[in-house]
Amino acid sequence: MPIPKLPLPPVPDKLKPAPKPPGSVPTRKPLEQVKEAGISAADWVDERTSLSGGLRWTMFRKLPKGTNWFYTLGSACMFAFLSQAVTGVFLAMYYTPDAAGGAYESIRHLTNEVFLGEFVRGMHKWGSSVMVILVFLHMARTFFFGAYKYPRELNWVIGVVLLILTMAMSFTGYLLPFDQRSYWATIVGVNINGTGPFVGPFLSDFMRGGSEFNSATLSRFYAIHMLLLPGVLAAMMGFHLYLVAKLGTTAPPWLKAPEDPELKTDKI
Ligand code: HEM
């Protein structure tokens, strides 16, 4: 025989909703209320910041016909940068920029003993090569699609700066484990820079932090790698994206614009 259910305890009068006046609008369902709460929170922020106009301007743009997967390479570069920034923050929590064995030891500890240390280090290490490759592929896309022409020349120039900054990130990061390979490879790299005309010797002295390759060099590379370059890269990327949003992207070169009869040469 089934056990009879106990009756529910009575709801206190104070918690009962007030009786609705006759003819009032029915209340919304809980899910609708949650959705509206999200919208009104966004409204609250927007009323105070007017950010939605800027967001709409950046995100909702018309794209030319023929836009294809090659146009995602720029965003892929940006994602690679964000991934480097996030994994880099975690690496910095364990890294010690000490040339007298501390740097090498901190990397050894991170790789062998820290939970997921090897994984995060691997993501950062492989991610750097991925980012360089993506930037080159993106540059090739903009070159072969003729996107460097008027009115996007300035964005191409900013792109070249982004390419140099990305390679400088790889170069300065390579020294940080301070093992035999990174030490000698960076000496070679600094010496190559020193052979440049006019500025070469000043550049290599600046990189070393003097005429000797020592602990000052490691501190310098670390500061440049984790503070200076990411800051400048992020700012330049912001400017690059502003110009992309302002000018729009280029249509693929195989799509011809419809001929405007007004511009026919025989009319001039
Ligand atoms: C960190 C590196 C970079 C990031 C994050 C980045 C990001 C982007 C994004 C998101 C776009 C719009 C979508 C697209 O066309 O892919 C774009 C467009 C563009 N980028 Fe880059 N970019 C980078 C490096 C470069 C480099 C190295 C160059 C060339 C030297 C370059 C030149 C251009 C040009 C000319 C456009 C306009 C494309 C068009 O109008 O179709 N960018 N970039």
Side-chain angles (χ1 to χ4, degrees):
M1 193 183 147
I3 306 165
K5 276 192 181 166
L6 286 173
L8 288 169
V11 178
D13 279 346
K14 283 211 167 161
L15 294 182
K16 281 184 189 157
K20 286 188 207 95
S24 62
V25 186
T27 47
R28 282 150 293 144
K29 293 195 181 100
L31 188 64
E32 282 169 7
Q33 282 180 5
V34 170
K35 276 185 196 159
E36 280 185 21
I39 292 170
S40 53
D43 272 350
W44 189 90
V45 175
D46 194 37
E47 204 179 331
R48 282 148 189 87
T49 58
S50 306
L51 276 177
S52 70
L55 271 179
R56 262 199 304 273
W57 181 78
T58 326
M59 313 283 278
F60 297 95
R61 283 177 287 120
K62 285 193 174 159
L63 295 179
K65 250 189 191 164
T67 298
N68 55 41
W69 280 97
F70 291 112
Y71 287 72
T72 58
L73 286 165
S75 311
C77 297
M78 215 162 52
F79 178 78
F81 174 73
L82 288 181
S83 161
Q84 290 303 93
V86 172
T87 49
V89 167
F90 286 104
L91 295 182
M93 288 178 189
Y94 292 92
Y95 181 71
T96 329
D98 165 28
Y104 182 80
E105 172 50 29
S106 67
I107 293 283
R108 194 204 56 73
H109 166 68
L110 170 89
T111 313
N112 298 337
E113 282 139 32
V114 174
F115 176 64
L116 290 183
E118 192 177 5
F119 175 68
V120 175
R121 185 181 169 206
M123 275 186 76
H124 197 76
K125 194 181 160 181
W126 288 99
S128 74
S129 304
V130 168
M131 184 168 170
V132 172
I133 293 169
L134 283 174
V135 170
F136 271 108
L137 289 176
H138 169 60
M139 185 167 77
R141 198 291 283 169
T142 50
F143 177 74
F144 287 116
F145 282 41
Y148 55 85
K149 294 179 196 167
Y150 175 85
R152 299 182 181 80
E153 306 94 322
L154 182 60
N155 222 12
W156 173 267
V157 172
I158 293 169
V160 173
V161 176
L162 284 172
L163 173 72
I164 294 170
L165 290 172
T166 306
M167 299 221 285
M169 280 297 274
S170 293
F171 182 61
T172 48
Y174 201 81
L175 178 69
L176 303 184
F178 224 64
D179 52 17
Q180 288 288 330
R181 184 170 37 182
S182 66
Y183 179 83
W184 292 108
T186 308
I187 287 191
V188 172
V190 170
N191 287 346
I192 291 174
N193 276 287
T195 60
F198 309 113
V199 289
F202 298 103
L203 193 60
S204 58
D205 271 359
F206 168 75
M207 284 180 181
R208 278 187 297 258
S211 55
E212 297 284 323
F213 199 98
N214 52 27
S215 57
T217 318
L218 182 61
S219 303
R220 192 160 279 223
F221 269 56
Y222 185 47
I224 293 175
H225 182 76
M226 70 164 312
L227 293 171
L228 181 68
L229 291 179
V232 182
L233 250 171
M236 295 303 272
M237 265 182 212
F239 196 25
H240 196 65
L241 291 185
Y242 164 74
L243 286 181
V244 170
K246 181 161 174 50
L247 303 172
T249 44
T250 329
W254 54 84
L255 287 186
K256 290 264 172 293
E259 220 169 73
D260 186 343
E262 285 297 309
L263 298 176
K264 276 215 154 170
T265 37
D266 55 349
K267 277 195 144 197
I268 299 169

